[in-house]
Every structure is written in structure tokens, then in C-alpha cells.
Amino acid sequence: MSEEEGEGTGAEKPRYETLEDLPGIGPSTAQKLRELGFHTVESLAMATVRELEPAGISEKKALAIISAARSSIGIAFIRADELLRMRQNVLRLTTGSKALDKLLDGGLETQTITEFYGEYGSGKSQICHQLCVNVQLPPERGGLNGAALYIDTENTFRTERIVQMARHLGLDPQNVVKNIIYAEAYTSDHQMFLLENADEVIKENNVKLIIVDSLTAHFRSEYLGREMLAVRQQKLNKHMHKLIRLARAFNAVAVVTNQVMAKPDMFFGDAIHPVGGHIVGHTSHTRIYLRKASHGPIRIARLVSSPYLPEGEEIFKITENGIEDISEEEKAKSSGR
Ligand code: GTP
Ligand code: MG
């Protein structure tokens, strides 16, 4: 075994900066890999052998490249204590509401996906806007000192809203908007393409928050009918896996939004179901169901599933300032919701 392949003991890890630095990658292979969306060593560390095939890379060579990339960023067989250490690298991002943060045990986690689902106007996009501002805060204020990447599928992103939220937090709005990298996705394929090619942008801009709002809208309108269901789910699955790999490689928070569908054949229980069904549910690690209180700015967030947190419910409000906690008075009023 050559030194480059290493044992992953962490003693002297080779650091590869660019694709060409990796053993076995020349300029033309690097070019093909970039065309496939692999722009960074981190993205190759998270790749599968099959994904490198279209670049004309043999299985053996693909394995060597992936393992070199992994050794470079320190992913190998690891002992559980190291797993614990990785887990300790998980950072948290504040939502802007203490109640919502409490529901999430301190905020949204890096390295996993958080899904917000709910009906029209329930606040999914507003939370996304707020997170884009919050991520730029220093850690002592609940931020990650990083930038945001916003993939918008419904053209609902508004810089005016960002400016309002930034001002409220005492941040310079000009700086804040500069640190939000925006892309509008026109179709589901375009949406997938954007994410598949995002790794360089993420790295160069120190992106610590990746948003796909909405995850499912294009898929839902393009893949109609039962016979399309399997291919839709397969694509959604691939898209989500790309997202989780980016979140892990760059220790970033990943957020997706999802509409809800009423199931007409369900008369009992909760008739509201997120689009995408089980696949989205299994890959997204934390799911939060948002709904409106009877009227006004108050919203109810329900933690529906999480790898380790108990289910629970908290309330917050959407105001001019953004996502905020409600006062005791408002709390008392809303208890009759
Ligand atoms: P869809 O994307 O349509 O499924 O909805 P969504 O869940 O993304 O809803 P969104 O986050 O866009 O929430 C919209 C709601 O937020 C509005 O109906 C308002 O109640 C509230 N909102 C948005 N902007 C403002 C604002 O500037 N001031 C105040 N007070 N409320 C706002
Ligand atoms: Mg929205």
C-alpha cells in the first residue's frame, strides 16, 4: 500500500487542495469530473464509484481517488470515540426564537437535513430568510459566521425581507445580502443540477447554510400520476443524498421546505401529509410541521421526527422583524387556538 492510500490513523494526512493534486487525476480527468459536478476534494470524498464512471474512470481508479480524497479530509474507518468527536463538531444555528430553538435542543444542526413542512403561508420561507441572516452571526449570538446558499424554486426569495431582518439584528444589510448566494431553479432537473454543482461555491464562500425552498414543488408538478411516482421518488432520493453529503462535507446546516397535501381518503387522524412521502421522511433527519394559529402572526411548530429528540410543540410569531418569540400575553391568548 502506498503512503497516499494511508490507514486513516490521522497521523500525517496528505492534504489535497485541488482535484489535480489527487493521485491519478490529470487535467483532462479533472475537467470531466468538474463537468460531472465534482469541483472539490470534499465532493470526491463523498462520491460513489458509479458516479465517477461517466468521467471514464475505472472502478479500481475510482476507489483509489475516493480513498485518497477521504484520507485528505479525514474520513476513513473510525472508532466510535472518533464518531463521538465528529458528532461534537456538530454546530447549531439559531432560528431567532428561543422557543423554537428549545424544541430543537439549541437550534438547527449542521451535518443533517432539517425539513419544514406545512401549508401555504405557514412560515416555511420566512424561516429560511431568517436563517440566511442568522447564519452570518457570530457563534456567541447563535450563528455560524458563514454565508448562505438559497435555491429558490418558487421565486419567493425577497432581499427586502432580508434587509429588514438584518437591520433588526444590528447587522449591515449590504454585507448580509452579499453573503447570500441565490439561485432560482426553473425545473426539477435544474434544481438537481444546481445542487450537484454547488460544492465549489460552498467552499469558496464559506457557506454554512444550504436551503432548498421548495424541495418538492417542481417534482410535484412535473411528475404527475401513479406511474411517475417511482421515478419521482428516485430523483428526490438522489437529490436529498447530494444535500446530506454537502452538509457533512462542509459541516453546514441543510434546510428543505415541503408543502402538505390533504389525503382525501383519510377521515381519521391527521389528514395532512408532506409531499414526497417516505423517501423524504427517511432522509431528512429532523422534520418540523408548521401550522397557523387561528389567525394573526402566531405559528405552531411541531417536531415530528428527530433521530434523538422527543416530539414536542412550541409557538413563535412572524413579524416585521422576522421570526420571534411571543410574549406571555400572546401565549395566554393563543392557548385557545
Ligand atoms: P408557501 O411557500 O406558499 O407554501 O408558504 P410558506 O410556508 O413559505 O409561507 P411564508 O413563509 O412565505 O409565510 C408568509 C407569511 O409570513 C405571510 O402570510 C405573513 O403572515 C408572514 N409575513 C411575511 N412577510 C412578512 C412581513 O414583512 N411582516 C409580517 N408581519 N409578516 C410577514
Ligand atoms: Mg414558501
Side-chain angles (χ1 to χ4, degrees), residues 271-291:
I272 300 291
H273 287 266
V275 179
H278 290 306
I279 291 206
V280 176
H282 286 314
T283 20
S284 61
H285 292 201
T286 302
R287 317 188 82 185
I288 298 153
Y289 173 41
L290 297 176
R291 64 185 202 275

Side-chain angles (χ1 to χ4, degrees), residues 118-127 154 161 164 213 259 299 318-320:
E119 66 175 21
Y120 168 83
S122 59
K124 305 179 291 290
S125 298
Q126 290 300 309
I127 288 182
E154 297 177 302
R161 203 57 189 121
Q164 281 180 322
D213 179 24
Q259 292 99 338
R299 300 291 186 276
I318 308 173
T319 72
E320 181 126 342

